[in-house]
Amino acid sequence: MGEAADISPREAEVLELVGDHLSNAEIGARLYISVRTVETHVSSLLRKLDVPDRRALARCATERARPDRQRPAPALPRRLTSFIGREGERATLTAMLKEHRQVTAVGPGGVGKTRLALAVAADAADEFADGVWFVDLVPVSDPGMIATAVAEALGLGEQLGHDMAESVAAALADRHALLVLDNCEQVVDGAALFLERLLAACPRVAVLVTSRSRLMVPFERVYPVPPLSLSLPLFPSLSPSSADDGDKDSEGGDGGDTGEGSAAGGSDAVALFIDRATSVGRPLDPAQHDQVAEICARLDGMALAIELAAARYATLGLDGITAALAHPLRMLTGGSRAEDRHRSVRAALDWSHDLLDPADRALLRRASVFVTPFTAPAAAEVTGLDAATVVDGLARLAEQSLLAVTFAPDGTRYRALETLRQYGSDRLTEAGEIHDTQARHLHWCLARSAELAAPRADWRARFDQTADELRAALAWAESRTEQRADAHRLARAMAELAFTRHLIAESQQRYEQAAALASTPADAASMFRHAAAVAACRLHGDDMHRLNRAAADVARRAGDTAAAARDLAAAASNAYRFSSKFVTRLPPEEADALITAARELAGADPSARAAVALAEAGRALTDAIGATHPPGTGAGTGTGTGTSDAADASEEATHAASRPSRPGSPGRPGGPTVQEAIASAERAVELAQLEKDPLAESAALDTLAGALSWAGDAFAAAATARRRVELLSSAPDVPVGPAGTHELIEALGEATEAALGVGDLPGARRWARRLAEHPQLAEVGHRATGWLLVADTLAGDAEQALITGLRFRDAWQRAGSPARAVLGPPAAAMATIHGLRDDREARRDWSALLAQVDPSPWNTHGYGAVFDAILMLHQGRPEAALERTAPEPGQVRQWTTWIWLHWYVALRAEASVLAGDPEASARLAQARTSVVGNPVATALVERAAALLDADTERLVATASAFDAAGCRYQSARTLTLAGGEHAARGARALTDLGLAPMTIR
């Protein structure tokens, strides 16, 4: 293992976090660096410490750690003022967290829930090996966004095929961590549902909730947070302490103080008042402590009220504060739920409010519509007050502790503590200004959403800063008839922005919301179509189908039969193209009915007829494959491939082959052949071209590529796949929204697979890299990087494959370790890379992962046989490689068609030669015919022929052919097989690639 001096300070930080079992995304979030930078550091550490994989790297981190190494620092907000005491409450809550997995600290606003929770979380941090995380739910107005807020706090992104709650659960599944959810009262029902899912999936996670009301779930343990103690006899279990409004940071501290005096007989309330009054520059004489105790008693020991009173001490003194409290106090409204402590907080706030100038009162109540920190210009626009009045008023409100001030690169921002914000909202309603102010806030949000539509370098930060305001405005507007048009505009804008921000679950939700708010059927149908495209990006085929049908229903009710035909045809064709994305497969008879209805509605409309033609081409191909591969063969039938899961589609073949008899059904007289399916797909392409619709043309090309593949024409399929990518990349009228994004992602995957199938390794790596770097896949590395791993492995780029493999596995685990056959080839590739490096432990590890994600015949007879044969030949075991590829290509054609056929027959021929098989010559001849046009497979066959003929000159010549084809590993293998002086060059080349020496018999 390398010396410590070889490791940079940043690498040391990364190594420590690897040892804490953090994912690359979590390390990036902790260190404020990109995931790819983390990957680079991890790769460097693997090389410097001379270890094979991340597991060994974690062991190194443990060995290098100091004996007194601390647990991960709690991810808690820093407090600005001291925390004084509450030792009894802290001890009780800490003990409850040891016994119960979900504890709720309940109490009125201002009692000190947040500050107490933060202190308890800091106290308990050493009990949670994987950290403590704080989530502020104040800005969350939509119960469905709780998981998003938690994910943001954890530094997570959404995983394709999973909603945010599933992504959070996957990230915390094996973690021993404490989650603090602060201010749940406005989303109680959503919090209860989220926590039920989270705690069921994460057995070692504990949750501390603060809320004004309990969540009312069976597993909840409730702790009522009392007011600050007014004297020791009243609360004998409590020592001097204080806490602020649990709703935000009116009181601070490091959580480590245990008390700062025992004023007035051990009163926590008095201790807090004295501390805060002293901090404004006027120390209190001990003789005044009794008067302070009286004030605190008038305020019922409520932390926020005491803080506000103490803030006035410098200007009013104790007598002025007492006089102000002598005025009658208005009581808190709210019926039977309004307990005394709620009323006392309202009274304290009323008192502070009454001391404000009328202009400042107006500013305070109107600014309460902001749910996140806001700027002075924003406040001027939303409150309707002039800019000068707003600037001066914000300063005065901040001086009086009614607003908190934060300083950021983009300027000064203000925010009200949540209790004060809700108080301001009540005042706004009482003043009859709520509608006008909310309407101005809505228009401000619409303007911000329009600004966000323009790309800028700081776009992501600006969106994150504004998103909760947009969500709050939308929540207010959607239920008001007079705001329906603006609510629709904002919902659509939010859908588009969320998609750009890669919050695709929210994007789908907002598109559906926009459809519900649309004023015309055409707008509603358009929103449903966008929502369907987003669902496709999420790999949610059932939602995609439901939304296509919803668009069709709206269009049909509006009398737009052509649009309804297109939507029904899309529902059918998508069921064929993306069958592996469906949980519930579309019954064949339902697909037939959709196509029939679409054809009847299409009439003479050209675009509708093109859509119907595409659906019919998909059906024809599915039927033809079902006829070719009867039930039980398990042939994949996705009409396109791309990033879809071909093996998961095998059930569709069984459906296709076992349908009830109908005219022209597969396997029966008049049933379509694959050639007829090709003709049908070509017709769909022609019709889409006539309509100049690039997305329809891309979909038709996808079906055509699948048909050509099943016909055994790999080169035509590859050319069609390339044509599809070029169309989507260059056509000026390709939409940049969800539909275009989904088509491009699928096309890049299809082009990568096709290029691998015809030996175009440079092209495959180029397409795969574009796929891996696609921003929509940034948070799902296992889907983004899978084919890049395969291409890098076949090219022999072990170093790049190892780096990419870390990202792949990390993302796979964060996604909940899904068992999807499409993940089999990258897992097999990584097992092979580690085998070529002679890292047996890592190979066993990846082989186990492979068996978990794909036990199908696609692995057994297809790519699995190819990768195993490559490794067996490297290890000098040609007999084993020959046995692994023993089935004739025709016997396993359904598993080798498309990508693996040429690799399979070429490696089988080489294994025959090296094993001394008597059929070697015949197999060489057959292979040479099969692989014509594939540069890598041709070189493999020619190398085998040279070995059979013991022709060293011809053998060495194939090394150049491999180099020209971008296959460095096979070039190095060739030189090693040539022996003599060439063998030394080959050995050096293998070492340069990071691979172990070959075994030659």
Side-chain angles (χ1 to χ4, degrees):
M1 186 170 67
E3 297 298 326
D6 296 335
I7 297 177
S8 70
R10 176 62 84 187
E11 288 172 341
E13 292 178 311
V14 171
L15 179 61
E16 181 177 351
L17 295 175
V18 169
D20 288 331
H21 305 291
L22 269 65
S23 70
N24 287 351
E26 291 169 325
I27 294 172
R30 186 74 62 85
L31 300 180
Y32 300 98
I33 57 179
S34 70
V35 172
R36 289 184 183 161
T37 301
V38 177
E39 292 169 355
T40 300
H41 287 312
V42 170
S43 177
S44 176
L45 287 165
L46 289 169
R47 185 174 61 257
K48 289 182 178 181
L49 297 178
D50 192 24
V51 294
D53 54 27
R54 193 184 187 94
R55 180 180 297 177
L57 201 60
R59 288 197 295 268
C60 288
T62 302
E63 294 167 4
R64 295 167 59 87
R66 301 187 307 273
D68 60 344
R69 182 173 176 271
Q70 299 297 310
R71 301 292 177 93
L76 302 173
R78 296 183 64 85
R79 298 186 284 259
L80 304 178
T81 53
S82 59
F83 187 90
I84 307 171
R86 276 211 190 261
E87 288 183 351
E89 294 97 320
R90 290 164 71 171
T92 300
L93 264 178
T94 301
M96 290 178 71
L97 280 174
K98 292 180 179 179
E99 297 177 8
H100 307 288
R101 294 186 58 210
Q102 198 255 294
V103 177
T104 302
V106 299
V111 76
K113 301 184 294 294
T114 294
R115 299 302 304 139
L116 177 60
L118 289 171
V120 169
D123 291 345
D126 286 343
E127 300 293 326
F128 296 90
D130 293 314
V132 176
W133 303 89
F134 180 87
V135 184
D136 181 7
L137 295 181
V138 166
V140 178
S141 57
D142 182 348
M145 298 304 296
I146 293 175
T148 298
V150 176
E152 290 174 355
L154 296 173
L156 300 176
E158 186 179 356
Q159 305 290 339
L160 287 185
H162 299 272
D163 60 25
M164 275 297 193
E166 290 171 335
S167 298
V168 170
L172 297 177
D174 60 348
R175 303 299 174 90
H176 185 208
L178 172 64
L179 199 62
V180 181
L181 299 185
D182 191 39
N183 291 291
C184 287
E185 51 269 5
Q186 78 278 15
V187 286
V188 166
D189 292 339
L193 290 173
F194 170 77
L195 289 179
E196 185 172 5
R197 293 177 65 183
L198 180 73
L199 294 176
C202 307
R204 303 179 66 210
V205 169
V207 181
L208 175 59
V209 171
T210 74
S211 178
R212 297 189 183 189
S213 59
R214 61 181 298 179
L215 304 188
M216 301 295 290
V217 290
F219 49 84
E220 179 184 38
R221 291 298 179 270
V222 177
Y223 177 75
V225 178
L228 297 175
S229 63
L230 297 171
S231 63
L232 192 59
L234 288 176
F235 300 99
S237 64
L238 307 183
S239 61
S241 64
S242 76
D244 80 332
D245 172 22
D247 303 31
K248 289 304 348 132
D249 46 29
S250 63
E251 180 195 74
D254 59 10
D257 297 340
T258 58
E260 296 187 11
S262 183
S267 166
D268 291 343
V270 171
L272 174 62
F273 188 103
I274 293 172
D275 181 81
R276 298 303 187 255
T278 301
S279 69
V280 299
R282 287 189 57 181
L284 282 152
D285 188 273
Q288 298 175 296
H289 287 184
D290 286 341
Q291 192 175 1
V292 171
E294 180 183 347
I295 291 171
C296 292
R298 300 275 303 270
L299 297 174
D300 286 349
M302 300 303 290
L304 176 60
I306 292 168
E307 295 247 15
L308 293 171
R312 290 288 185 175
Y313 171 68
T315 53
L316 296 179
L318 294 181
D319 290 339
I321 293 172
T322 301
L325 287 174
H327 293 291
L329 302 177
R330 291 183 294 275
M331 305 305 289
L332 179 68
T333 59
S336 62
R337 290 179 60 83
E339 300 174 357
D340 291 342
R341 286 174 290 184
H342 292 76
R343 298 189 181 103
S344 65
V345 173
R346 174 62 187 254
L349 294 174
D350 281 344
W351 158 74
S352 186
H353 176 268
D354 288 345
L355 296 177
L356 298 175
D357 293 335
D360 289 350
R361 294 180 195 172
L363 177 60
L364 181 65
R365 66 177 177 262
R366 294 179 188 178
S368 68
V369 297
F370 288 105
V371 297
T372 59
F374 56 89
T375 63
E381 189 172 342
V382 170
T383 62
L385 303 171
D386 67 86
T389 299
V390 167
V391 170
D392 290 344
L394 291 175
R396 286 190 294 271
L397 293 173
E399 289 170 359
Q400 296 166 48
S401 300
L402 293 172
L403 291 178
V405 183
T406 58
F407 300 98
D410 62 342
T412 303
R413 290 181 174 268
Y414 302 85
R415 68 174 178 85
L417 307 179
E418 179 59 13
T419 297
L420 286 167
R421 194 185 72 79
Q422 294 187 12
Y423 174 83
S425 181
D426 290 344
R427 284 289 192 171
L428 192 64
T429 301
E430 292 167 6
E433 299 172 349
I434 183 71
H435 183 276
D436 290 345
T437 306
Q438 288 281 24
R440 286 192 296 268
H441 181 253
L442 173 62
H443 293 148
W444 179 84
C445 287
L446 283 167
R448 300 293 79 73
S449 68
E451 291 174 359
L452 286 168
R456 266 176 39 181
D458 61 345
W459 184 91
R460 179 170 178 161
R462 291 190 302 124
F463 173 84
D464 290 347
Q465 204 169 55
T466 310
D468 281 321
E469 293 295 345
L470 305 185
R471 292 165 181 145
L474 181 56
W476 174 79
E478 69 172 337
S479 61
R480 287 161 175 78
T481 303
E482 72 279 7
Q483 301 292 348
R484 188 180 183 89
D486 284 340
H488 169 74
R489 288 173 55 206
L490 186 54
R492 177 170 186 168
M494 273 298 293
E496 294 167 352
L497 294 170
F499 187 82
T500 303
R501 182 61 177 83
H502 316 314
L503 299 173
I504 57 178
E506 182 179 4
S507 178
Q508 179 183 329
Q509 172 195 349
R510 300 303 178 194
Y511 274 124
E512 293 193 54
Q513 189 176 20
L517 292 166
S519 58
T520 68
D523 283 343
S526 175
M527 294 300 97
F528 279 130
R529 291 180 197 116
H530 285 305
V534 177
C537 291
R538 299 179 66 205
L539 312 183
H540 286 197
D542 298 76
D543 272 3
M544 175 175 57
H545 184 74
R546 170 180 61 83
L547 293 163
N548 282 142
R549 296 291 297 268
D553 290 343
V554 172
R556 186 151 41 184
R557 287 198 302 270
D560 190 348
T561 56
R566 289 191 296 269
D567 293 326
L568 291 175
S573 61
N574 287 341
Y576 293 125
R577 292 179 65 205
F578 311 120
S579 59
S580 67
K581 296 178 182 179
F582 282 70
V583 175
T584 303
R585 298 294 175 87
L586 187 68
E589 57 275 12
E590 184 176 337
D592 292 343
L594 288 173
I595 294 174
T596 299
R599 188 188 304 110
E600 293 171 352
L601 292 170
D605 184 85
S607 63
R609 290 176 61 196
V612 172
L614 175 60
E616 290 174 335
R619 178 172 64 185
L621 177 57
T622 301
D623 287 351
I625 294 169
T628 306
H629 302 288
T633 63
T637 66
T639 60
T641 51
T643 54
S644 65
D645 184 343
D648 277 359
S650 60
E651 292 180 19
E652 185 66 23
T654 301
H655 284 304
S658 58
R659 291 181 181 181
S661 179
R662 67 161 190 258
S665 63
R668 300 171 179 86
T673 65
V674 174
Q675 291 302 321
E676 289 170 334
I678 292 174
S680 181
E682 288 174 339
R683 175 62 177 159
V685 172
E686 291 171 3
L687 290 173
Q689 288 175 330
L690 289 173
E691 286 304 299
K692 294 182 170 49
D693 184 342
L695 295 188
E697 185 178 351
S698 170
L701 288 171
D702 181 26
T703 300
L704 177 58
L708 291 167
S709 166
W710 279 102
D713 194 342
F715 295 96
T720 303
R722 289 195 301 272
R723 177 180 164 191
R724 184 183 175 204
V725 173
E726 290 162 3
L727 168 72
L728 295 170
S729 302
S730 61
D733 52 349
V734 174
V736 296
T741 297
H742 179 240
E743 280 294 327
L744 180 58
I745 288 173
E746 292 288 330
L748 288 170
E750 183 178 64
T752 301
E753 296 177 55
L756 289 172
V758 296
D760 180 12
L761 289 178
R765 298 180 79 184
R766 182 169 66 253
W767 304 131
R769 197 167 292 110
R770 280 188 62 184
L771 189 65
E773 293 172 356
H774 196 288
Q776 198 62 49
L777 300 177
E779 304 293 345
V780 282
H782 62 300
R783 301 292 290 190
T785 60
W787 286 114
L788 182 58
L789 265 180
V790 173
D792 286 341
T793 297
L794 293 175
D797 192 342
E799 182 175 359
Q800 186 58 49
L802 290 173
I803 294 172
T804 307
L806 290 174
R807 180 181 171 194
F808 173 88
R809 183 159 194 159
D810 176 63
W812 175 72
Q813 290 173 333
R814 286 159 57 82
S817 304
R820 302 273 298 182
V822 73
L823 304 178
M830 285 305 298
T832 300
I833 280 290
H834 286 295
L836 294 173
R837 289 167 52 83
D838 199 25
D839 185 341
R840 299 180 184 181
E841 180 181 355
R843 172 167 168 76
R844 281 194 297 270
D845 194 24
W846 279 94
S847 295
L849 191 156
L850 170 59
Q852 178 180 346
V853 300
D854 185 18
S856 77
W858 199 33
N859 174 7
T860 306
H861 301 300
Y863 68 84
V866 168
F867 281 116
D868 285 349
I870 289 172
L871 178 58
M872 290 168 177
L873 291 172
H874 183 90
Q875 295 171 334
R877 300 164 57 209
E879 292 84 1
L882 183 58
E883 183 179 354
R884 188 69 174 88
T885 57
E888 292 294 330
Q891 292 178 286
V892 291
R893 177 179 175 275
Q894 62 267 38
W895 304 112
T896 56
T897 297
W898 184 248
I899 305 176
W900 307 109
L901 179 61
H902 292 172
W903 294 91
Y904 186 91
V905 298
L907 291 166
R908 186 170 182 261
E910 180 172 325
S912 295
V913 170
L914 293 175
D917 183 62
E919 300 295 324
S921 294
R923 286 177 177 167
L924 273 174
Q926 292 171 351
R928 185 176 282 113
T929 301
S930 298
V931 303
V932 171
N934 183 321
V936 177
T938 296
L940 286 170
V941 173
E942 292 307 317
R943 181 175 68 192
L947 287 168
L948 183 63
D949 296 339
D951 188 336
T952 302
E953 184 176 349
R954 282 170 54 204
L955 179 61
V956 172
T958 62
S960 298
F962 284 121
D963 285 330
C967 196
R968 295 172 61 200
Y969 165 69
Q970 294 296 347
S971 174
R973 173 172 167 76
T974 299
L975 295 173
T976 307
L977 288 169
E981 60 179 351
H982 304 297
R985 288 170 50 206
R988 287 194 299 272
L990 288 173
T991 300
D992 291 342
L993 290 172
L995 303 178
M998 285 171 45
T999 300
I1000 300 178
R1001 293 186 340 192

